[in-house]
Amino acid sequence: MKKNTAISVVLFVLLVFSLFISGCAKDLYATGGSNEQQVEEKSQEEIQKELEAEEERRRLEEEEKKRQEREKKEQALKEELGPFYVPLPPEEKTDNPRVKARGIYLTGNTVDLENRYSQLLELIETTELNAMVIDVKNDHGLMSYPSEIEIVEQVQANRKAPIKGIKEVIEDLKKRNIYPIARIVVFKDPNLPEHRPEWALQKKTGGVWRDKNGVAWVNPYEKKVWDYNIAIAKEAALLGFREIQFDYIRFPENAKRVDQVVNYGDNGVSKDEIIEKFLEYAREQLKGYNVHIAADVFGVIATSWGDSDKIGQTWERMTSKLDYICPMIYPSHYGPGYFGFRVPDANPVGTIKAALTDSIKRNASIKNPGIIRPWLQGFTASWVPGNISYGAEEIRVQIDTALALGIDEYLIWNASNRYIKEAFRPEEEFKIKVEKLKKLREENGLDVLGKTTLQAIEDFLRAFSKKDWREALVLHANNFTMGYENYKDWVDSWTGKISTYEIKANSTSGEKTIYEVDLNIIRDKDTIKLKGQKFEVYKENNIWKVKPSNDFLKVLTEKPSVEEVQKNQN
């Protein structure tokens, strides 16, 4: 019993001693652990700070490297361009989405007139209008604001520049959500030839050529003229203009008379080809400047084929190089008899409809054509015999006629910049009208020309039967493999001719309508019967177009034996 008690006492003493030692160790560990943790946390903070400092150092080095590289590029560009130098665009681009612009034209002088300019701002902000086309280089070859480009200063194009605060003007338009378009008059430039006569059109007998008004034109074949205007376009883009609109992208009118006396040089390049090359060059040069590119063209080039007026404007060559093509379809600009009207100016609805229909058709065969944004008439052409007064109603019907053809953007021209508020709807009302017309077309299966798929294939077969290559080109869905340059030759090469055709059943497949067609084709006095040919109809460039069957095209264009073809049909 005593032995057990002794053992118990010893165990108790050992337990107490163990607990004491354990507690001391725990306290010591806790204290030591806490100190060690504090040291560790402090080290982590220091390490983090060191990492952040290193990261910042590298960032600054990278920025400095980029800055030096940009300085080198700027210096190289200065040496390359000389007096045509304009700074590089900023590396960070701001958003510049496409805008359905509905705008008015303003001269620099109007922008400088505070009261008138304020009234026009109010007009835009309270109506469907949302854009301003502002002269940057005007019809006199003079700048609307003081340019900082050396060549502009050399040729004194800055004299009389009315807008002193162009940056403030653009910034204000941005705040008001008004789309700014820079109008640059290109090849009609009365100022430039007076300072650089070697850049002007020259007479065959020597010396600068001038038109009947005594105005000299610059030479579209002269690359320095290109660089001069593109430098101005770059500067306008850097100032905040969101679109560059080139005007007078052409040679002088009355070409038959002008060509007799002007020496264009032995360059082997046609007028419309050099205009196309200018637009290609402008697009390449402006690529980094974050602007859309537009050009004003004569309205008649949508109706005539090729460069019929010999001014260098061919629709297909130009629309394919532009974001926006702006035909000037003022009814007053069409002569007697155009579109069947004795006085087109007195028939704004019919004239606008015919001109825009032709424009839509000309875009139809082009892959990625420019968007059609027409110039409409906002003035009375008192000099036109039989003219009518253009008030609010005459302006409005032009806009509505364009809307009916699916064209919901436009520009109004009035040289004196006087516009009638009653001609324009409230913005919300305009948008409702646009959606209503769009829904109506969709519900009735119509394209922008007002045709159904059935009407489209009927017109297509009729055009093929008559070998009407212009209308056939408009309606032929050939994946843009043939254009206006070679389509006529292709039609002329046909060995067969459609004698009769009958449109049978149709079915739908996705967005396509498939028609079965029976045809009789005559070739070498033989009649070849094609039955159940499948013709697909679908939309390209907003109109219904037709893709015919391969067998049909083969019989029409090749020379297989009659027996072979008839065998394939049975």
Side-chain angles (χ1 to χ4, degrees):
M1 184 67 178
K2 290 181 179 181
K3 184 179 179 181
N4 290 339
T5 302
I7 292 172
S8 297
V9 169
V10 171
L11 291 174
F12 176 78
V13 170
L14 288 173
L15 178 61
V16 170
F17 180 77
S18 174
L19 290 173
F20 174 79
I21 295 298
S22 174
C24 290
K26 185 176 181 181
D27 289 342
L28 180 62
Y29 178 80
T31 303
S34 176
N35 290 339
E36 185 178 341
Q37 188 175 8
Q38 288 175 2
V39 171
E40 186 178 346
E41 286 179 356
K42 184 177 180 181
S43 298
Q44 285 287 45
E45 290 176 1
E46 289 176 348
I47 291 171
Q48 183 64 29
K49 287 180 180 179
E50 288 177 0
L51 290 173
E52 290 175 354
E54 177 64 17
E55 185 177 342
E56 178 66 10
R57 184 185 66 77
R58 290 178 180 175
R59 186 185 66 80
L60 291 173
E61 284 182 355
E62 186 66 26
E63 285 185 357
E64 178 62 19
K65 184 180 177 181
K66 287 182 179 179
R67 186 189 66 79
Q68 291 178 2
E69 288 177 352
R70 186 174 177 86
E71 282 186 357
K72 288 180 181 179
K73 287 181 181 179
E74 289 284 5
Q75 187 58 39
L77 193 63
K78 283 182 181 180
E79 294 174 2
E80 177 188 351
L81 297 179
F84 301 96
Y85 165 75
V86 176
L88 289 165
E91 293 179 348
E92 293 184 5
K93 301 289 188 298
T94 57
D95 289 339
N96 187 16
R98 292 285 186 100
V99 169
K100 290 183 178 296
R102 302 177 294 276
I104 54 177
Y105 161 68
L106 276 71
T107 64
N109 288 327
T110 295
V111 175
D112 190 50
L113 295 173
E114 185 176 346
N115 288 338
R116 284 194 62 195
Y117 183 60
S118 295
Q119 291 171 3
L120 292 172
L121 286 173
E122 182 183 2
L123 172 67
I124 292 175
E125 291 186 307
T126 57
T127 66
E128 68 200 67
L129 295 169
N130 64 0
M132 278 187 176
V133 180
I134 300 175
D135 273 343
V136 163
K137 180 163 78 81
N138 64 23
D139 298 57
H140 304 290
L142 301 179
M143 298 294 295
S144 291
Y145 63 84
S147 171
E148 296 181 0
I149 305 170
E150 183 180 341
I151 186 64
V152 174
E153 295 176 350
Q154 287 180 5
V155 301
Q156 300 178 32
N158 275 341
R159 70 182 191 275
K160 301 180 181 179
I163 307 174
K164 300 302 184 287
I166 187 64
K167 290 183 180 179
E168 291 76 13
V169 168
I170 298 300
E171 187 60 34
D172 182 56
L173 292 178
K174 182 179 179 181
K175 290 178 181 177
R176 296 172 185 266
N177 200 28
I178 295 175
Y179 184 70
I181 302 172
R183 177 179 180 255
I184 299 175
V185 178
V186 181
F187 297 123
K188 181 184 178 183
D189 188 332
N191 178 69
L192 196 54
E194 304 308 321
H195 300 271
R196 296 290 187 274
E198 67 276 16
W199 297 355
L201 289 174
Q202 306 291 315
K203 293 186 293 186
K204 291 179 179 178
T205 56
V208 174
W209 173 85
R210 297 178 186 275
D211 64 21
K212 62 182 180 181
N213 297 317
V215 174
W217 285 56
V218 289
N219 187 355
Y221 288 100
E222 174 56 65
K223 186 175 178 295
K224 289 185 176 67
V225 172
W226 295 13
D227 289 330
Y228 177 70
N229 285 279
I230 289 168
I232 293 170
K234 288 178 179 178
E235 185 179 60
L238 292 177
L239 287 168
F241 281 97
R242 295 176 57 186
E243 180 176 321
I244 303 300
Q245 184 185 93
F246 293 118
D247 200 358
Y248 283 85
I249 305 293
R250 62 177 178 84
F251 289 74
E253 59 268 42
N254 300 315
K256 187 175 182 180
R257 175 178 58 81
V258 175
D259 291 353
Q260 292 177 351
V261 296
V262 170
N263 177 19
Y264 299 109
D266 186 18
N267 47 59
V269 180
S270 65
K271 289 180 179 179
D272 61 344
E273 185 179 353
I274 203 65
I275 296 300
E276 180 183 25
K277 288 183 179 297
F278 167 76
L279 291 175
E280 288 176 343
Y281 184 72
R283 178 174 286 282
E284 178 63 28
Q285 291 294 308
L286 291 167
K287 186 183 295 181
Y289 285 82
N290 198 29
V291 285
H292 304 297
I293 299 176
D296 301 335
V297 299
F298 274 174
V300 295
I301 76 163
T303 301
S304 60
W305 283 79
D307 185 18
S308 60
D309 290 335
K310 303 301 179 186
I311 59 171
Q313 290 189 345
T314 296
W315 184 280
E316 287 80 4
R317 284 187 180 274
M318 298 185 75
T319 189
S320 61
K321 304 301 182 295
L322 297 167
D323 296 313
Y324 297 95
I325 186 165
C326 306
M328 300 175 287
I329 55 172
Y330 318 124
S332 61
H333 277 31
Y334 294 91
Y338 246 99
F339 307 125
F341 300 119
R342 186 176 63 83
V343 183
D345 182 75
N347 293 273
V349 173
T351 301
I352 296 299
K353 182 178 181 180
L356 287 181
T357 296
D358 287 344
S359 300
I360 292 167
K361 287 182 175 182
R362 294 300 285 276
N363 258 5
S365 62
I366 303 298
K367 190 174 184 178
N368 300 320
I371 294 171
I372 299 168
R373 185 200 289 148
W375 278 102
L376 304 177
Q377 183 167 322
F379 57 89
T380 297
S382 56
W383 59 89
V384 174
N387 75 86
I388 62 172
S389 177
Y390 272 64
E393 183 179 349
E394 288 72 24
I395 296 171
R396 184 72 241 171
V397 295
Q398 293 178 83
I399 297 171
D400 287 342
T401 301
L403 278 179
L405 291 167
I407 296 174
D408 54 359
E409 47 188 307
Y410 60 83
L411 304 170
I412 306 293
W413 178 271
N414 183 295
S416 63
N417 301 170
R418 299 187 182 281
Y419 301 99
I420 305 169
K421 183 174 183 177
E422 290 72 23
F424 309 105
R425 292 190 177 103
E427 183 177 11
E428 192 58 35
E429 184 180 331
F430 176 84
K431 289 180 177 179
I432 291 173
K433 177 76 171 179
V434 170
E435 289 303 315
K436 182 178 179 181
L437 289 171
K438 180 181 178 181
K439 184 178 180 181
L440 189 64
R441 283 193 295 271
E442 291 174 350
E443 289 175 347
N444 291 281
L446 306 176
D447 62 11
V448 294
L449 294 178
K451 290 183 180 180
T452 62
T453 57
L454 179 59
Q455 289 172 317
I457 192 171
E458 287 175 340
D459 289 347
F460 173 85
L461 290 168
R462 190 178 302 113
F464 263 55
S465 297
K466 295 180 178 180
K467 299 186 73 170
D468 180 353
W469 71 269
R470 291 181 176 87
E471 194 66 18
L473 173 61
V474 170
L475 294 165
H476 189 175
N478 61 64
N479 198 28
F480 307 108
T481 55
M482 284 188 287
Y484 79 103
E485 305 98 332
N486 50 26
Y487 197 83
K488 181 180 183 300
D489 292 339
W490 178 70
V491 171
D492 289 342
S493 72
W494 292 352
T495 55
K497 185 180 186 307
I498 299 175
S499 61
T500 62
Y501 58 85
E502 182 181 2
I503 301 172
K504 311 287 278 189
N506 69 80
S507 59
T508 58
S509 175
E511 296 182 352
K512 296 179 180 179
T513 301
I514 302 171
Y515 285 91
E516 289 190 8
V517 184
D518 292 346
L519 306 104
N520 288 330
I521 297 177
I522 297 176
R523 188 175 58 228
D524 295 333
K525 297 182 181 180
D526 292 316
T527 298
I528 302 171
K529 297 181 182 295
L530 296 175
K531 294 184 178 181
Q533 295 299 299
K534 289 182 170 52
F535 284 51
E536 297 178 353
V537 184
Y538 50 88
K539 279 185 183 175
E540 283 181 349
N541 289 337
N542 299 315
I543 71 169
W544 293 120
K545 300 183 76 171
V546 181
K547 181 181 179 182
S549 70
N550 289 332
D551 282 348
F552 166 72
L553 293 179
K554 182 177 180 181
V555 170
L556 198 65
T557 59
E558 296 183 3
K559 291 187 177 181
S561 66
V562 175
E563 292 79 8
E564 178 183 353
V565 174
Q566 289 180 338
K567 181 180 179 181
N568 290 336
Q569 290 300 304
N570 297 326

